[in-house]
């Protein structure tokens, strides 16, 4: 990761705990990597997310949002041989019980 001019690596910019002052830091930075639903327009979803972030500014604090590239979300196919074999493979590899239905929340049932 690269450092910015304030010594923060890419991602969430904040001072190190060991060097933090007992004061309010006058800046904050964050780099988000949102994942949008595969059946949604990614540009529209990004636009709504940026609007939401801008609407959350307390007391008129300045906010700069620089939207990056976006694309459609990924939806894995279910029901094929790999999907059917996955629970047994996970159980064997991790030596513990897994539920037969290991899909992420919100996946089609």
């Amino acid at each position: 990761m690269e450092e910015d001019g304030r010594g923060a690596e890419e991602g969430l910019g904040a001072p190190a705990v060991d060097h933090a002052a007992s004061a309010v830091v006058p800046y904050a930075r964050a780099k988000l990597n949102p994942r949008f639903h595969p059946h949604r327009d990614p540009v529209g979803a990004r636009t709504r997310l940026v609007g939401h972030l801008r609407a959350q500014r307390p007391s008129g604090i300045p906010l700069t949002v620089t939207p990056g590239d976006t694309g459609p979300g990924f939806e894995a196919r279910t029901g094929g041989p790999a999907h059917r074999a996955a629970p047994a493979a996970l159980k064997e590899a991790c030596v513990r019980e897994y539920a037969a239905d290991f899909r992420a929340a919100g996946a089609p049932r």
Side-chain angles (χ1 to χ4, degrees):
M1 292 187 177
E2 294 182 27
E3 291 190 10
D4 69 7
R6 297 174 214 151
E9 292 185 349
E10 292 178 358
L12 180 62
V17 173
D18 293 339
H19 306 289
S22 295
V24 176
V25 179
Y27 63 87
R29 294 180 353 142
K31 182 175 183 178
L32 306 178
N33 187 8
R35 309 299 173 143
F36 299 120
H37 191 279
H39 297 281
R40 297 291 170 118
D41 167 36
V43 175
R46 181 187 61 195
T47 300
R48 287 187 296 280
L49 174 60
V50 169
H52 173 75
L53 293 172
R54 288 183 173 142
Q56 302 310 309
R57 298 178 311 128
S59 304
I61 293 173
L63 172 69
T64 301
V65 179
T66 307
D69 293 334
T70 190
F74 174 76
E75 180 178 21
R77 291 185 298 141
T78 59
H83 186 265
R84 287 191 297 274
L90 288 169
K91 181 179 176 183
E92 181 180 334
C94 297
V95 192
R96 62 184 208 180
E97 293 295 322
Y98 277 88
D101 184 6
F102 60 94
R103 292 175 289 199
R109 303 235 178 241

